[in-house]
Every structure is written in C-alpha cells, then in structure tokens.
Amino acid sequence: MPKARDLAPLIRFRKPRLDRTQRRLDAALTICDLRRIAKRRTPRAAFDYADGGAEDEVSLGRARQAFRDIEFHPTILRDVTHVRTDWEVLGQPVALPFGIAPTGFTRLMHTEGEIAGARAAAAAGIPFSLSTLGTASIEDVATAVPQGRKWFQLYMWRDRDRSMALVRRAAEAGFDTLLVTVDVPVAGARLRDARNGMSIPPALTARTVLDAARHPRWWFDLLTTEPLAFASLDRWPGTVGEYLDTMFDPSVTFADLAWIKTQWPNKLVVKGIQTLDDARSAVDHGADGIVLSNHGGRQLDRAPVPFYLLPSVARELGGDTEILLDTGIMSGADIVAAVALGARCTLVGRAYLYGLMAGGEAGVRRAIEILSGQLTRTLRLLGVTCLEELSPKHITQLRRLVPLLPA
C-alpha cells in the first residue's frame, strides 16, 4: 500500500477561485470553450445575432474549414527561447498581428459592450474598431482608451452628410484609421434573426419571456443599465436586416471612395474586398490598406473565402498596400497562417464577442489571451522567432473545393 508520506509530494490542491466569472473564464482553453459559455449565458436572439451568418451559413462554414485545412511546415533546431509578436500595422506599432473587428449592437451581447472591447484591446496593445452601428459613441470610446489604437468603421448611408459627420467626429476624437465597408448594398438574409424576431431594442414576446427565465442575469443587466442607444436610431419596429436595408446606400461606387479619402486625414482601409480586380481598384483609388472579407459570412452566402484569396492578392499587391483579413478566425494558429500567406493583420469579430458574452471585459481579455498564447506557441513550434520570418513556405492550403473547368 502506498504510504501517505510518499503520496504527499504528488498531491497539490488548487487554490479556490471565489470569483465565479473568472473561474469560468480560466477553465476556457479555446475560443470554442468561450462560445459554449456564451451560448449558456446569453438569450438566443442575442447569441444568434453574433453567432449566425446569412441564409444557409455556407460562407461561414467554408471560411472556418479553410483554416482547418492547412498544413504547417515546421523548421527544427532553431532557438525559439525568445519570440516577438509585434510589428507595425498601418504606420503604428501593434503588440500582436490582430485587432478587434467592428461589430454592431454590441451592448446587446453584454451591457459592457464596446467599452469592454476597447479597454481589453488597449491593454493588449492591439487596435479596436468601432462600428457605425455601435452602442457606444465615438467620444465615449475615445475617453475610455485615450492611448489605445482606435479605428472607425463606416457604412455609407443614403444621407451622405450624416455619414461625413461621423467621419469628422472620429477624426477629431483621435481615431487613426477609417474602415470603409463596401460589401453592403443591401443587408444579407440573416435567417436566424428573422426567425428570432430580432429587433432593437429586444421585443418582449412569449418566446423571449420564456428565454428570460433561463437568463435572468442578462435581462437584469439590460434593464438596470443605460438603455441601448445607437448612432443612427433609438427604436426600430422591424428586424435588424430590415433597418439596414433602409440605411445602406446601394449607389456607392469607387468614385465615392476617392471622395471619402479627401474627407479623412488619416489611414483609409477598404473592407469587404472579395476579388483581385476589386483589390487593385481600391488601391488605385487611394486605399492605404484593404480587408479581404466576406463580412463574416453575413452578407452574400457562398461568397469567396477570404483566406483562399489571400495568396494571389498578396503576390499582386503586397508590395503596394497592407492586406488585412477576417472571417473564420478561431485560433492563434489561424492568425499565424494568414500572416504567413501575406496578411499584415487579421480582425476577429465573433471570437471577441464570445469572450464578451462569456464574461464582459474579463471575457474579452481571456479571448485575447487565448489567441495570443496559441499564436506564440505556433510560432515556436514552427521554429520562428518573429513575424517577419513567416512566409508561404510554412503553410500549405489544402483545398476541398476545386473549381470545375469550363466546358
């Protein structure tokens, strides 16, 4: 029989964590773990708004599968004691090659909303992007993180003067980059939202009341904190998609892009590029950077997978402009793969929102911590000591979908 004195050195009790939220977050080892926590703690309509895509959600599924279908090629016997993850993006330093993507209606996911994301991003040394449809004002975000990197995402409205007023406010508040989103002539068909009756503010129906019984903390926070408010509306009786259709301007062209650049004094990035030709045109019209993006699979279903498009755009335009990428990123390894194939920076949206829903600002910090840890570990396992050493030789994209040749 084993003796107690022999067992004692092998047994180590963990110090108990009294903070329940932090205990949950500490147990999350991946972004998928945070997603599971978020789904338990958030009403269905709010969770589905963040989690879902357009129509059959084929674009979203393909984008995530594209990152799963990569093969890394590690180099061995390199000294990786010290690994750097910092470099410059759009003329200023970042500690990690990713930032927080712009997301709308964010306080619906958690009442701390954009302020939680901005603070967590500033603490990590990465950019935070505020959406036109954000639930915190430009000025409030600037006040919350005066030293953090702040980007503003612009939807061109039918009311051009109103759009430009937001641009001027962002410039005056110290936002250093404007992300002009160009893949929204109309809203995508987000069927989860339609089926959930998703409206702003949330409408109380028999279904939502029943759901509230399972998420009392979420509803308590919503009803006892500052009411939801948006830059563009206070109340809207229809679904989010119906509202967006009344706001988005389907007449926007490349000429408008050049005009916007004359109104903005800092870096301008075009978000929503899905073809090589459009990437060239954006650069020709003065863009300082482009974001290869299909809007997180939330606009045109079966749209091109941005990660598949990345190598050809990087070969053609990587010397002339900075390339950013979003959609489908769920791990630090995904970020490493994107950088290796030519992305200067990636943007994470759902990964950030899962953390926010799981635990507010602490949850966002945990999401960033998970991605950062995975990224650093992947670099070491590849035998790479800094981002500059990454190259296409470290990655093979394995494709399941191969285009048919014309008859």
Side-chain angles (χ1 to χ4, degrees), residues 67 307 310 325 329 333-344 346 395:
F67 281 107
F307 184 58
L310 176 60
L325 179 132
I329 294 170
D334 299 344
I335 296 168
V336 170
V339 172
L341 292 181
R344 192 71 185 177
T346 60
I395 305 293

Side-chain angles (χ1 to χ4, degrees), residues 22-66:
Q22 196 59 54
R23 191 163 65 240
R24 281 195 304 271
L25 295 175
D26 288 346
L29 303 181
T30 67
I31 298 300
C32 289
D33 290 342
L34 289 177
R35 180 185 180 276
R36 283 189 285 270
I37 298 170
K39 189 173 184 178
R40 289 198 307 267
R41 298 183 57 78
T42 311
R44 179 173 179 174
F47 178 82
D48 279 356
Y49 176 77
D51 189 62
E55 300 189 40
D56 293 328
E57 302 185 0
V58 173
S59 288
L60 177 57
R62 286 178 178 174
R64 287 185 174 164
Q65 190 62 52

Side-chain angles (χ1 to χ4, degrees), residues 79 109 158 189 219 235 308 316 381:
D79 182 355
M109 315 308 146
R158 297 170 193 263
W219 282 99
R235 289 184 176 272
Y308 287 156
E316 182 90 9
L381 291 172

Side-chain angles (χ1 to χ4, degrees), residues 90 177-180 267-271 287-291 324:
L90 296 167
T177 298
L178 184 67
L179 301 174
V180 182
K267 297 290 187 180
L268 184 141
V269 174
V270 181
K271 182 177 182 293
D288 299 297
I290 57 173
V291 184
L324 290 75

Side-chain angles (χ1 to χ4, degrees), residues 378-390:
T378 302
L379 291 178
R380 282 197 165 101
L381 291 172
L382 284 174
V384 168
T385 62
C386 62
L387 300 177
E388 288 85 353
E389 292 179 6
L390 284 172

Side-chain angles (χ1 to χ4, degrees), residues 53-391:
E55 300 189 40
D56 293 328
E57 302 185 0
V58 173
S59 288
L60 177 57
R62 286 178 178 174
R64 287 185 174 164
Q65 190 62 52
F67 281 107
R68 295 188 188 102
D69 291 343
I70 61 172
E71 182 177 85
F72 283 119
H73 304 296
T75 53
I76 61 169
L77 297 177
R78 269 64 169 183
D79 182 355
V80 290
T81 306
H82 303 289
V83 171
R84 288 180 41 245
T85 61
D86 63 303
W87 61 4
E88 284 197 355
V89 172
L90 296 167
Q92 294 189 38
V94 297
L96 296 157
F98 67 91
I100 289 181
T103 60
F105 314 124
T106 310
R107 283 191 59 232
L108 192 66
M109 315 308 146
H110 190 285
T111 52
E112 294 181 15
E114 289 90 354
I115 300 300
R119 285 175 174 161
I126 63 174
F128 173 82
S129 309
L130 177 65
S131 170
T132 294
L133 297 177
T135 47
S137 73
I138 291 168
E139 293 76 14
D140 285 347
V141 171
T143 299
V145 287
Q147 303 305 319
R149 285 200 71 181
K150 299 171 289 292
W151 298 355
F152 183 69
Q153 176 269 330
L154 176 69
Y155 288 125
M156 277 301 290
W157 297 347
R158 297 170 193 263
D159 185 341
R160 301 296 176 87
D161 290 340
R162 202 173 180 186
S163 296
M164 289 303 102
L166 288 175
V167 169
R168 287 191 294 273
R169 285 171 57 191
E172 291 167 1
F175 284 64
D176 65 77
T177 298
L178 184 67
L179 301 174
V180 182
T181 298
V182 295
D183 57 356
V184 286
V186 296
R190 301 170 192 175
L191 303 186
R192 290 203 217 182
D193 295 345
R195 289 168 180 145
N196 290 329
M198 173 71 175
S199 62
I200 303 296
L204 287 175
T205 64
R207 182 174 180 176
T208 54
V209 169
L210 180 61
D211 199 29
R214 296 195 295 268
H215 305 94
R217 176 63 183 270
W218 185 93
W219 282 99
F220 179 83
D221 287 346
L222 180 71
L223 297 173
T224 58
T225 55
E226 182 181 353
L228 286 174
F230 306 91
S232 53
L233 80 160
D234 290 318
R235 289 184 176 272
W236 175 255
T239 67
V240 174
E242 290 168 344
Y243 171 71
L244 298 181
D245 278 339
T246 70
M247 185 185 76
F248 294 153
D249 186 351
S251 70
V252 174
T253 67
F254 279 104
D256 294 297
L257 185 64
W259 175 73
I260 293 169
K261 185 169 176 64
T262 67
Q263 313 287 307
W264 176 253
N266 302 317
K267 297 290 187 180
L268 184 141
V269 174
V270 181
K271 182 177 182 293
I273 300 293
Q274 298 174 67
T275 70
L276 177 57
D277 286 343
D278 282 347
R280 285 196 202 99
S281 294
V283 174
D284 290 342
H285 284 81
D288 299 297
I290 57 173
V291 184
L292 302 180
S293 168
N294 64 26
H295 213 102
R298 295 166 68 80
Q299 284 296 103
L300 175 66
D301 204 14
R302 298 173 179 81
V305 175
F307 184 58
Y308 287 156
L309 185 61
L310 176 60
S312 60
V313 173
R315 282 193 300 270
E316 182 90 9
L317 301 173
D320 300 321
T321 191
E322 293 193 26
I323 301 168
L324 290 75
L325 179 132
D326 70 17
T327 307
I329 294 170
M330 291 287 284
S331 78
D334 299 344
I335 296 168
V336 170
V339 172
L341 292 181
R344 192 71 185 177
C345 183
T346 60
L347 297 175
V348 295
R350 288 183 179 88
Y352 141 62
L353 292 178
Y354 295 146
L356 182 67
M357 289 185 280
E361 182 179 338
V364 181
R365 288 176 183 259
R366 181 58 180 152
I368 295 172
E369 184 180 70
I370 288 170
L371 293 172
S372 175
Q374 293 169 333
L375 186 153
T376 302
R377 182 170 57 251
T378 302
L379 291 178
R380 282 197 165 101
L381 291 172
L382 284 174
V384 168
T385 62
C386 62
L387 300 177
E388 288 85 353
E389 292 179 6
L390 284 172
S391 74

